[in-house]
Amino acid sequence: MPAGPLDNTPASPGYDTDVLIAGSGPAGGSMALLLATYGVRVKMITKYGQLADTPRAHITNQRTVEVFRDLGIEHLLQREATPWELMSNTTYCTSLAGQELGRVPSWGTNPRRHADYLLASPCTMVDAPQTIVEPILVSQAQARGAKVRFDTEYLGHEQDADGVTTTARDRLTGTEHTVRSRYVVGADGARSKVAEDLGLPFEGPGAVAGALSIVFEADLSRFVAHRPSVLYWMLQPGADEHGVGLGVLRMIKPWTEWMLIWGYDPAAGPPDFTDAFIRDLAVKLVGTDDFEMRVSSRAPWTINHHFATSISKGRVFCAGDAIHRHPPNNGLGSNTSIQDSYNLAWKLAHVIKGLAGPSLLDSYDAERANKSIADTGRILEALGLSDTSDPGKLEERLAVLRAPGQDGEKTREAMREAIAYKSYEFNAHGVEHNHRYASGAVDPDGTPMPAFTRDPDLYAQPTTWPGAKLPHAWVTRDGVRVSTLDLGGKGAFTLFTGIGGQVWAQAAAAVSAQLGLDLPVVSIGPGQAYEDPYGTWAGLREIADDGAILVRPDLYVAYRVTSAPASADEATTQLGRALRAVLGR
Ligand SMILES: Cc1cc2nc3c(=O)[nH]c(=O)nc-3n(C[C@H](O)[C@H](O)[C@H](O)COP(=O)(O)OP(=O)(O)OC[C@H]3O[C@@H](n4cnc5c(N)ncnc54)[C@H](O)[C@@H]3O)c2cc1C
């Protein structure tokens, strides 16, 4: 697809823009950037005069970094984010200076798990709070032609057969105006007015806890640099009530900027955030008062577990927290939001350009309406406690952890198991990579989905089964290593084949001309444009050399054929039928 428009001309008469986005968080920012990159005219309105002013979501998984890579901005993220190596533990203790209960090697940094992560993706995980991610997404979107209006609040919309008329308020002047667009994306967060206006159905328990989020600067290196972690979890009296399960000190910048998270009862409302209250809390979690701190923000936060079972209506789509609000424990918030946009953006682009039928957009709902997550609490159980309401008892049980004898030995074993179980939170590599989409935007090949051979939440299992993510393999061009993921994406479908697959190249040229879209062909094998010197691709592709795999712009497999038919005509018919089916044409 061509690069984004750099002018401000309306998409076509009668429209102010092709797509109007409400919200500039991870979902809205990535949607604006993707659409602008794909050459779609896009306007983004956002309620406040600035992007995220507090760190909020931060764990940035490989799938999300792959989206940045596809957009050509992975280096911008890597430049500012905290690197993978410094995310290597999750530490459980009574306070930073206090008793350590154990550590979980996290985010694939355990030597036993590291290879799984390296094998699944060309990208590393990083820690990048929204204060880093949003400016990159939004400035790049603007550079590629997206128009952004700050201090502009979505008020409501009306849709008809041809488009959507949105009313917005300029919060600086108080004036209201309307924007006419073909489509609207509501990326307006957990209190989404767009989702409310659509009347989307929600399920889940709703507000499950309250948490105070306090951001402060303090050099805590002496307590943490030797056990680098993103999250330090503190077992203390009261820490298990509400909040995220325990008290947390979360690294924002190693090791000088922090977010303190402590629970409160949402029914009772947040306590008074006085300076003295915050200092006491920080001293409690650090375990000494021998440190200086400067508080930069304080906010109560309601932790929700709530998701929409339908995520769009007609020409209006919702993405991100507007449709799913997860407890933050395994970092799904912004990652899921960016994946929503990656799924929807190419579909909107193809429909707007007349390359796909509107039914392609139905697959967004089918592929992205919700799933959800796990628990806390085993650590207390390991100590033989149900809560921390009796500080004396907690103290006593913590002492047992260090005591000789049977009770100590049993408690230590239970604690090791409880902490190891946290891998489901901090090493859920399968949750990230094992999506198998089933919708009209995938053309099945009649084979059953390959069964998972290991725990599907923990372990990524690559396959080219239609609906799965294209497996990553390092191949080479002129001897230089590139990922198979680098050979697809960029807003276009791609056809992968190998030696003997010339009929597919001919078919792709014919189908591309018939349907009026780019359809690059990638041939991998000895003497081909790309070689497979490690043999990794041959081991992953699940087709013969002359088979073909059609990959969607979001790097999911749309269709595959095990081997080449006898003639180019036959290949053209097969490929044309599959692509028409996927595009709803
Ligand atoms: C205090 C706090 C701490 C958090 N910490 C974590 C964490 O540690 N880990 C984690 O995974 N997640 C965390 N989250 C959740 C995480 O921030 C979200 O999952 C993520 O931001 C979702 O991205 P989004 O783009 O969908 O929504 P948001 O980032 O919420 O963005 C919504 C956007 O919509 C705009 N907007 C809202 N209403 C309107 C309107 N009417 N008109 C126009 N614009 C509007 C807002 O200004 C904003 O730009 C936290 C959230 C909060 C509030």
Side-chain angles (χ1 to χ4, degrees):
M1 286 204 176
L6 290 173
D7 63 14
N8 197 14
T9 45
S12 36
Y15 295 100
D16 299 309
T17 188
D18 285 325
V19 180
L20 178 76
I21 301 168
S24 57
S30 57
M31 179 60 80
L33 173 55
L34 285 157
L35 288 173
T37 306
Y38 298 162
V40 172
R41 287 173 177 82
V42 54
K43 281 203 165 106
M44 181 162 70
I45 58 171
T46 189
K47 186 167 170 182
Y48 302 105
Q50 63 187 105
L51 301 175
D53 58 351
T54 54
R56 302 183 217 172
H58 53 114
I59 298 296
T60 307
N61 66 27
Q62 288 179 305
R63 281 294 291 129
T64 298
V65 182
E66 285 170 10
V67 176
F68 277 72
R69 187 177 176 100
D70 185 26
L71 285 160
I73 56 167
E74 185 187 6
H75 62 291
L76 300 180
L77 184 69
Q78 294 284 3
R79 198 163 65 192
E80 292 191 52
T82 296
W84 203 11
E85 312 81 82
L86 296 186
M87 302 170 71
S88 56
N89 296 286
T90 299
T91 302
Y92 289 85
C93 45
T94 56
S95 68
L96 288 188
Q99 182 178 345
E100 186 174 303
L101 306 175
R103 306 178 193 179
V104 186
S106 300
W107 318 115
T109 57
N110 182 338
R112 279 211 190 97
R113 296 301 319 272
H114 200 54
D116 295 331
Y117 282 67
L118 295 179
L119 289 168
S121 174
C123 301
T124 70
M125 287 188 84
V126 293
D127 190 85
Q130 284 173 235
T131 38
I132 288 178
V133 168
E134 289 184 21
I136 295 174
L137 292 174
V138 175
S139 63
Q140 289 298 309
Q142 287 175 304
R144 297 180 191 190
K147 299 296 161 193
V148 183
R149 272 192 74 149
F150 287 93
D151 294 301
T152 305
E153 183 177 4
Y154 161 94
L155 295 180
H157 74 266
E158 281 183 24
Q159 52 176 319
D160 53 57
D162 304 316
V164 191
T165 303
T166 298
T167 307
R169 181 194 294 130
D170 180 327
R171 285 164 48 98
L172 297 180
T173 63
T175 53
E176 290 183 14
H177 63 278
T178 58
V179 181
R180 179 77 175 154
S181 60
R182 290 169 188 269
Y183 296 98
V184 164
V185 177
D188 51 340
R191 280 187 231 129
S192 173
K193 174 82 168 68
V194 181
E196 184 190 320
D197 289 348
L198 289 180
L200 296 183
F202 279 85
E203 282 184 9
V208 289
L212 307 175
S213 262
I214 297 154
V215 180
F216 65 96
E217 286 168 31
D219 186 347
L220 301 178
S221 313
R222 67 188 194 278
F223 304 110
V224 292
H226 56 285
R227 46 177 176 175
S229 307
V230 173
L231 299 165
Y232 297 84
W233 296 79
M234 317 297 177
L235 178 58
Q236 292 211 356
D240 57 322
E241 291 165 26
H242 316 292
V244 289
L246 294 177
V248 174
L249 281 174
R250 177 187 133 191
M251 175 276 295
I252 306 294
K253 203 182 285 163
W255 308 106
T256 55
E257 195 176 352
W258 298 89
M259 181 188 274
L260 184 161
I261 304 173
W262 187 259
Y264 72 88
D265 179 359
D272 197 8
F273 273 90
T274 60
D275 290 347
F277 174 85
I278 290 175
R279 175 70 187 175
D280 279 354
L281 213 46
V283 166
K284 214 153 86 162
L285 295 198
V286 176
T288 167
D289 66 358
D290 183 18
F291 70 101
E292 286 179 18
M293 65 189 282
R294 193 186 72 79
V295 175
S296 55
S297 79
R298 55 192 91 188
W301 173 36
T302 308
I303 296 171
N304 287 297
H305 194 177
H306 213 206
F307 51 89
T309 51
S310 163
I311 58 181
S312 63
K313 246 181 212 168
R315 293 175 168 271
V316 182
F317 302 82
C318 284
D321 271 20
I323 50 169
H324 39 69
R325 298 116 201 201
H326 311 275
N329 298 47
N330 52 1
L332 289 177
S334 70
N335 292 302
T336 316
S337 303
I338 290 173
Q339 295 305 324
D340 289 340
S341 295
Y342 198 43
N343 183 287
L344 178 59
W346 71 268
K347 296 173 182 174
L348 282 171
H350 277 73
V351 173
I352 287 165
K353 292 178 178 191
L355 300 172
S359 65
L360 174 61
L361 297 171
D362 299 341
S363 66
Y364 174 62
D365 207 302
E367 293 181 352
R368 299 296 305 170
N370 191 75
K371 339 249 183 274
S372 227
I373 65 170
D375 73 329
T376 54
R378 285 177 183 244
I379 290 188
L380 273 175
E381 277 169 36
L383 290 172
L385 297 173
S386 56
D387 58 47
T388 59
S389 57
D390 182 344
K393 186 93 190 143
L394 176 61
E395 198 65 24
E396 197 183 295
R397 295 304 300 161
L398 283 167
V400 170
L401 266 184
R402 296 174 163 193
Q406 248 187 7
D407 187 16
E409 196 153 344
K410 242 175 70 193
T411 309
R412 283 188 287 280
E413 189 185 341
M415 181 62 77
R416 280 195 299 274
E417 277 171 16
I419 287 179
Y421 184 80
K422 289 284 174 187
S423 261
Y424 280 92
E425 231 169 284
F426 305 123
N427 292 296
H429 199 217
V431 171
E432 204 181 315
H433 291 275
N434 286 340
H435 277 282
R436 308 287 189 249
Y437 289 147
S439 77
V442 171
D443 194 51
D445 66 356
T447 60
M449 186 181 92
F452 287 103
T453 54
R454 294 192 290 177
D455 188 321
D457 284 346
L458 292 183
Y459 297 97
Q461 184 170 310
T463 172
T464 60
W465 191 72
K469 196 192 89 163
L470 175 70
H472 151 70
W474 290 115
V475 295
T476 57
R477 173 156 200 150
D478 301 328
V480 178
R481 204 170 79 142
V482 289
S483 167
T484 44
L485 303 188
D486 298 331
L487 308 180
K490 297 162 197 68
F493 283 84
T494 309
L495 192 68
F496 283 72
T497 186
I499 291 178
Q502 293 86 340
V503 290
W504 293 116
Q506 291 166 270
V511 170
S512 151
Q514 285 164 16
L515 299 181
L517 44 67
D518 290 342
L519 183 48
V521 176
V522 170
S523 186
I524 303 173
Q528 304 298 293
Y530 296 92
E531 305 220 10
D532 183 22
Y534 307 101
T536 321
W537 173 242
L540 289 170
R541 68 189 177 189
E542 299 170 327
I543 56 167
D545 283 342
D546 64 352
I549 298 168
L550 178 66
V551 178
R552 307 190 326 189
D554 59 355
L555 298 169
Y556 276 76
V557 176
Y559 167 72
R560 73 174 174 183
V561 191
T562 317
S563 55
S567 70
D569 280 352
E570 218 176 304
T572 305
T573 307
Q574 285 182 18
L575 183 63
R577 185 209 55 74
L579 197 47
R580 278 193 183 83
V582 167
L583 291 171
R585 287 175 71 173

